[in-house]
Amino acid sequence: MAKARIGLIGLGVMGANLALNIAEKGFPVAVHNRTTPAIDAFIAGAGDLADRLVAAPTPAALAAALAPPRAIILMVKAGAPVDATIAALRPHLEPGDIIIDAGNADFNDTRRREAALREAGLAFVGMGVSGGEEGARHGPSIMVGGTAQAFAPIAGIVEAIAACYNGASCAAHLGPDGAGHFVKTVHNGIEYADMQMIAEIYGLLRHAEGRPPARIAALFDEWNGGPLRSYLVEITAKVLAASDPETGLPMVDVIHDCAGQKGTGRWTVIEALRLGQSVPAIEAAVGARVWSAAKDLRLAGEAVLQGPDPTQAGAGLLDADLERALLAARVIGYGQGFSLLAAASGEFGWQLDLVRIAEIWRAGCIIRSALLDDIASAFADPPPGGSLILSLHFAQVLSGNTGALRRVVARAVQAGMPVPVLSAALAWYDTMRRARGTASLIQAQRDFFGAHGFERVDRDGGGYHGPWGG
Ligand code: 6PG
C-alpha cells in the first residue's frame, strides 16, 4: 500500500473533520485513535474519501504508514493527554519527524514540548486551528508556531486545508515555538469579549426593552449587513430566531444561563498580566462567565440585593446606538488583543506580523468580521505604540461611535443591567484618551505608607518623597 502523506491522532469531532478536510484536498491520511473501534467507524462513514484514509490501530502502525520525515497531527484534549500521546509515539519516530499539536494548547506547554523534542531531534509544531466543526471540515484559520524547517514539509497541506479569503490561504507560519498557540489563545480571548458584548446588547434589548427574541434576531440580522458583519453576529441572529421543537419556546429561553469555558479566555488574561499588560474587555468577559456559572449565588442575590428593576426602569435605548456601541466595543476588544500580541512578540522575540494575523482571521475563524480587513490595513502603517485604537482609521471609528457606547453604558447602569464588557471597554477608552490620569495620587499613597518614592513632573530622575512625616 502507498504511504499516507500525513498522520492524525484523535478522531473526536475536530480531528475527524480535519482528517476529512485533508483527505478531500487530495492527501492520503493515516488515522489513529486511542479507542480503536472509532477508527473503523470513522473510515466506514467517510464515503468517497474512505480510500484516502488508512487505519492505524497502534502508534507503531501509524508510524509505519508514513514515509519519513513523518508528519503527525495530534487532535487530542489539551494538557496531559498531549504529553501521553507524544510519549506513546516517540519510540516509533526518527529524527526529522514532525509532531503537530493542533489542539488549543497552553503556549507554555508548547514551548516546553518544542524544546524537549528538538533536543531529541524531533520537530514540534504548535498549530492553532479556529473555526469549530464546520471550519475543521471545510477550511479553518490556522496559526502556526515552530521552526521554519519544521513547517516547510507540511506547509502545502496546511495551506490547502485552510479557509481562503480573496484567493489567499488563511494559514500562516507566525513564529517559533509557542507563537501559533499564543495567537490562537488571544484569538479566543477576543472571541470571549465579542460574545459577551453581544450578549450584553441582547440582555438590554430583552430585559430592559422587553423585546422578544425573534425581533432581536431580526435586528442582529440587519446589523450583519453593515459594519458589524461577522460570524458571531450572524449566528446570534440564527440562535435567537430558533425555537425549541419540544416546547415551542425561544431556544435561548430553555438553555441554562451558566456559561462553560475550557480555559483559553482565562489564559489570555493570565498571560496578559504576566506580561504586565491588561486586557480589561477580555478580563470582564472571563469574569462574566465565572459569575454566570455561580447560579446558586445569583439566586440568593436576587432575593436580597436591591436595585432598579430593568423591566420597570426601561433603558429607552435607540437601536442605532446599540449598533454603534457594539461596533466601538468590538474595536476595543480587538485592540486589546492585538496589543497583547505585540507585547508577547517583544517579550519572546517572535516578531509577530500583526498584518498577517489580521489577514488570516478574515475567514475560517470564529472572530472573522468585516473589521479585520481594516485592521490589517491599520497595522500596515504601524500606529503609535502599535495601538490599533491610535491608527487614523480606528481613532475616527471610535470618535464617531463611543458617544453611543457611553449612552448605552449610562442607560444600562441606570436600568440596573450589568454590562461588564461594554463598560470595561469604555473605561479603557477613557483611560487611553487622557494624558494625565490619577496615578499621581497612587504614587503619593505608596510613598506615604511605604516610602516607595516618586518622580516629579518638574525634575529629572526619581526617588523623591513627599512631606508626609510632618
Ligand atoms: C475556535 C474556538 C474553539 C473553542 C470553543 C470553545 O476558534 O474554533 O475558539 O477553539 O474551543 O469556542 O471555547 P470555550 O469552551 O473556552 O468557550
Side-chain angles (χ1 to χ4, degrees):
M1 183 192 294
K3 300 269 183 192
R5 272 293 303 278
I6 194 161
L8 186 142
I9 301 182
L11 292 172
V13 173
M14 291 295 285
N17 281 292
L18 206 61
L20 293 175
N21 183 356
I22 298 169
E24 192 175 62
K25 300 298 175 318
F27 305 101
V29 195
V31 290
H32 171 67
N33 196 65
R34 194 169 47 86
T35 51
T36 38
I39 304 173
D40 293 336
F42 167 66
I43 295 180
D48 292 351
L49 295 174
D51 56 6
R52 290 195 196 138
L53 300 169
V54 180
T58 62
L62 184 70
L66 298 165
R70 299 172 184 83
I72 300 173
I73 296 177
L74 312 186
M75 219 11 155
V76 299
K77 199 170 176 311
V82 174
D83 287 315
T85 309
I86 293 172
L89 261 183
R90 270 184 72 165
H92 311 288
L93 299 182
E94 293 170 280
D97 288 348
I98 309 155
I99 299 177
I100 305 135
D101 179 6
N104 271 338
D106 180 333
F107 91 108
N108 295 296
D109 287 340
T110 304
R111 282 165 70 84
R112 167 178 61 77
R113 290 173 185 136
E114 198 271 341
L117 289 170
R118 186 153 29 89
E119 198 127 294
L122 295 170
F124 188 71
V125 169
M127 189 167 95
V129 178
S130 176
E133 188 178 344
E134 183 68 12
R137 179 66 184 83
H138 297 293
S141 169
I142 303 183
M143 295 144 257
V144 180
T147 63
Q149 299 91 299
F151 181 57
I154 56 167
I157 299 180
V158 170
E159 282 160 12
I161 62 170
C164 257
Y165 184 87
N166 284 350
S169 170
C170 288
H173 176 233
L174 298 173
D177 55 78
H181 276 145
F182 189 90
V183 173
K184 175 61 182 18
T185 298
V186 174
H187 164 285
N188 282 27
I190 297 170
E191 172 186 304
Y192 272 52
D194 218 285
M195 290 168 74
Q196 175 63 25
M197 63 182 80
I198 289 172
E200 290 171 14
I201 297 285
Y202 156 75
L204 290 170
L205 286 162
R206 185 78 200 276
H207 302 298
E209 299 289 333
R211 269 190 231 174
R215 279 188 54 211
I216 305 174
L219 191 58
F220 274 100
D221 193 44
E222 185 190 317
W223 289 346
N224 197 42
L228 285 174
R229 185 166 57 78
S230 58
Y231 175 70
L232 285 171
V233 166
E234 178 192 330
I235 66 161
T236 300
K238 289 182 176 157
V239 164
L240 290 173
S243 310
D244 175 29
E246 283 177 39
T247 60
L249 292 168
M251 199 62 223
V252 71
D253 284 0
V254 299
I255 300 173
H256 257 305
D257 63 337
C258 303
Q261 50 177 321
K262 295 198 199 77
T264 42
R266 188 166 51 226
W267 294 343
T268 307
V269 174
I270 290 170
E271 296 307 333
L273 294 175
R274 277 196 182 130
L275 287 162
Q277 301 288 309
S278 173
V279 284
I282 301 172
E283 284 159 25
V286 175
R289 288 209 192 181
V290 170
W291 294 119
S292 80
K295 183 73 173 177
D296 290 346
L297 215 52
R298 289 187 291 114
L299 275 168
E302 185 167 296
V304 297
L305 302 174
Q306 300 300 307
D309 175 356
T311 59
Q312 299 302 313
L317 289 161
L318 301 173
D319 290 357
D321 267 358
L322 291 165
E323 181 184 18
R324 285 162 167 264
L326 188 50
L327 181 65
R330 171 174 277 178
V331 169
I332 289 167
Y334 279 119
Q336 292 177 359
F338 274 98
S339 289
L340 177 55
L341 290 177
S345 182
E347 175 70 18
F348 301 112
W350 286 336
Q351 298 187 312
L352 291 179
D353 180 345
L354 301 185
V355 175
R356 197 72 196 103
I357 294 170
E359 284 173 353
I360 63 165
W361 284 352
R362 290 179 302 184
C365 71
I366 303 294
I367 61 167
R368 60 186 186 261
S369 83
L371 283 184
L372 282 156
D373 237 349
D374 292 336
I375 293 177
S377 305
F379 283 124
D381 177 16
S387 178
L388 183 72
I389 67 165
L390 298 183
S391 68
L392 205 59
H393 176 72
F394 284 105
Q396 274 170 3
V397 170
L398 290 173
S399 299
N401 293 286
T402 43
L405 178 59
R406 200 173 299 289
R407 286 189 289 279
V408 168
V409 169
R411 297 306 296 261
V413 169
Q414 278 165 348
M417 285 295 296
V419 284
V421 170
L422 296 176
S423 54
L426 181 62
W428 186 70
Y429 178 75
D430 282 337
T431 300
M432 298 315 289
R433 67 187 187 87
R434 296 189 70 81
R436 182 157 174 86
T438 56
S440 52
L441 182 60
I442 305 290
Q443 286 297 77
Q445 290 165 334
R446 291 176 69 239
D447 189 54
F448 188 104
F449 63 63
H452 293 289
F454 51 77
E455 292 175 5
R456 293 181 59 104
V457 295
D458 52 357
R459 293 184 210 156
D460 288 337
Y464 292 100
H465 295 284
W468 325 124

